Amino acid sequence: PAVTLATSQPQISYGTVVTLSGQINSKKAGENVQLSHQPYGQASEILLATVITGVDGTFAYNVSPKILTTYRAKWKTASSLVVSTAVAPSISFGRLNGFVTRVFAGRSMARKQVQLQRRSSFGQWVTIKRVSLDLSSRARFRALLPCGANRLRIAMSVNQAGAGYLGAFSREITYRRAC
């Protein structure tokens, strides 16, 4: 017996739903397949769910990993290869009496640093300010920007995000400074 497993997205933002799907080689409906996961830092695999195969022996299950996580499917004595989903923190960015940003992840990002970046006239992202997050993984700050339209985003490096996370970027906003 053999079982396959795949993930709909190998790299996601925190809070994104991923579909784990696979098929058993007998292609029989009504078979039990056990799905296990191992979040980063966990010593061993944990049973996640038992799913029942449908038409053609296929199965699917939705997950929302909070950190780098590996998955495996088991059917009878067969195990699939391990598949992984890497997770990047989700970063919000906007204006409210200055600039405000918040980082969402499976753990606190308190005291981590994020970078305010501005798109240069050459199309490159240039860091213009570094800001530390508070105990709620937020930061409120001001920045002196050139006159005219400024395309801005917040970046968090993989080193600041920490073990089990990818680096991340917020959405881009345009701020116009009148002079």
Side-chain angles (χ1 to χ4, degrees), residues 56-131:
D56 292 335
T58 59
F59 59 90
Y61 189 77
N62 290 334
V63 294
S64 187
K66 297 180 180 356
I67 195 166
L68 171 69
T69 303
T70 59
Y71 299 93
R72 183 187 313 267
K74 293 179 183 168
W75 172 63
K76 295 186 178 178
T77 59
S79 286
S80 70
L81 295 175
V82 171
V83 296
S84 296
T85 298
V87 178
S90 180
I91 303 175
S92 67
F93 178 44
R95 292 212 12 98
L96 184 63
N97 296 326
F99 295 104
V100 63
T101 187
R102 182 161 187 202
V103 179
F104 300 89
R107 64 174 176 240
S108 172
M109 291 290 167
R111 298 188 180 95
K112 302 287 186 170
Q113 277 196 347
V114 295
Q115 304 162 20
L116 174 64
Q117 296 183 332
R118 180 179 170 272
R119 190 171 210 123
S120 74
S121 56
F122 300 107
Q124 298 168 315
W125 287 103
V126 179
T127 297
I128 57 174
K129 186 169 187 140
R130 294 180 198 282
V131 181

Side-chain angles (χ1 to χ4, degrees), residues 16-84:
T16 302
V17 174
V18 175
T19 301
L20 300 173
S21 60
Q23 185 175 34
I24 58 174
N25 74 343
S26 72
K27 299 188 177 179
K28 288 172 58 178
E31 295 283 324
N32 287 336
V33 177
Q34 291 184 326
L35 297 175
S36 60
H37 69 175
Q38 186 172 356
Y40 180 86
Q42 184 70 35
S44 59
E45 289 184 355
I46 304 163
L47 180 63
L48 177 66
T50 300
V51 295
I52 299 172
T53 58
V55 179
D56 292 335
T58 59
F59 59 90
Y61 189 77
N62 290 334
V63 294
S64 187
K66 297 180 180 356
I67 195 166
L68 171 69
T69 303
T70 59
Y71 299 93
R72 183 187 313 267
K74 293 179 183 168
W75 172 63
K76 295 186 178 178
T77 59
S79 286
S80 70
L81 295 175
V82 171
V83 296
S84 296

